[in-house]
Amino acid sequence: MPRAQLPHWEHFDHDADMGIRGIAPTLAGSFEQAALALTAVTTDPNAVRKTRTISIKCRAPDNELLFLDWINELIYQMSTQHLIFGRYEVKIEQGELTATASGETVDRERHQPAVEAKGGTFTELRVYRNEEAMWVAQCIVDV
């Protein structure tokens, strides 16, 4: 399978903020990859231990709003519980997202957080299939 067809995430530039993008063969997979891109804004996702798992549910009338709700719920959970996540499992059925996010309490010395994500925005918000039929989920995150 060519690399372009493997699930992956990336950042893209935007003035003072950061763009996150998840790319995968499934809609749920693109949300998982975008969540890893969100974690990577703060720290290396591979450096996060998976000692705590939380459940998340979101519902929205379209994929873009569902994606924004997902990203903002993750940011809320990380901020209020002082957690950082390194693994995500997402299911999406009929406009409802059910997911788990696994991670640990932020350890400033080990994670060395570069910045804090404050919220997902409508800027560059898109969920679509690209020319390789891969799902792409993206938005700009305030940092």
Side-chain angles (χ1 to χ4, degrees), residues 31 55-63 65-74 77 90-99:
F31 281 39
S55 297
I56 294 174
K57 286 189 177 184
C58 302
R59 182 179 245 333
D62 62 49
N63 289 337
L65 291 177
L66 188 62
F67 178 65
L68 198 55
D69 283 354
W70 161 240
I71 293 301
N72 282 323
E73 182 63 25
L74 290 172
Q77 294 295 331
V90 174
K91 292 182 182 172
I92 299 172
E93 293 180 354
Q94 299 178 345
E96 184 172 304
L97 176 150
T98 55

Side-chain angles (χ1 to χ4, degrees), residues 8-139:
H8 62 283
W9 60 265
E10 59 193 30
H11 292 143
F12 58 96
D13 290 330
H14 181 269
D15 295 336
D17 295 315
M18 178 69 72
I20 60 170
R21 180 179 292 137
I23 303 166
T26 64
L27 177 62
S30 69
F31 281 39
E32 292 171 355
Q33 292 297 315
L36 287 171
L38 174 65
T39 298
V41 168
T42 304
T43 193
D44 177 1
N46 294 320
V48 178
R49 297 179 185 142
K50 287 76 178 177
T51 60
R52 186 164 169 204
T53 298
I54 67 164
S55 297
I56 294 174
K57 286 189 177 184
C58 302
R59 182 179 245 333
D62 62 49
N63 289 337
E64 280 82 13
L65 291 177
L66 188 62
F67 178 65
L68 198 55
D69 283 354
W70 161 240
I71 293 301
N72 282 323
E73 182 63 25
L74 290 172
I75 292 170
Y76 173 79
Q77 294 295 331
M78 288 190 284
S79 177
T80 60
Q81 298 193 50
H82 309 288
L83 297 172
I84 191 150
F85 303 115
R87 180 178 168 87
Y88 304 92
E89 292 184 24
V90 174
K91 292 182 182 172
I92 299 172
E93 293 180 354
Q94 299 178 345
E96 184 172 304
L97 176 150
T98 55
T100 58
S102 300
E104 63 178 320
T105 301
V106 174
D107 179 332
R108 293 208 173 275
E109 188 170 312
R110 192 162 45 81
H111 296 127
Q112 298 182 351
V115 295
E116 180 182 1
K118 296 176 183 159
T121 72
F122 284 95
T123 305
E124 300 284 340
L125 174 63
R126 288 184 67 201
V127 176
Y128 63 98
R129 285 190 144 182
N130 67 15
E131 57 277 355
E132 287 93 24
M134 298 285 280
W135 281 98
V136 179
Q138 68 176 45
C139 72

Side-chain angles (χ1 to χ4, degrees), residues 1-7 24-25 134:
M1 180 178 294
R3 185 195 181 300
Q5 296 179 339
L6 294 173
M134 298 285 280

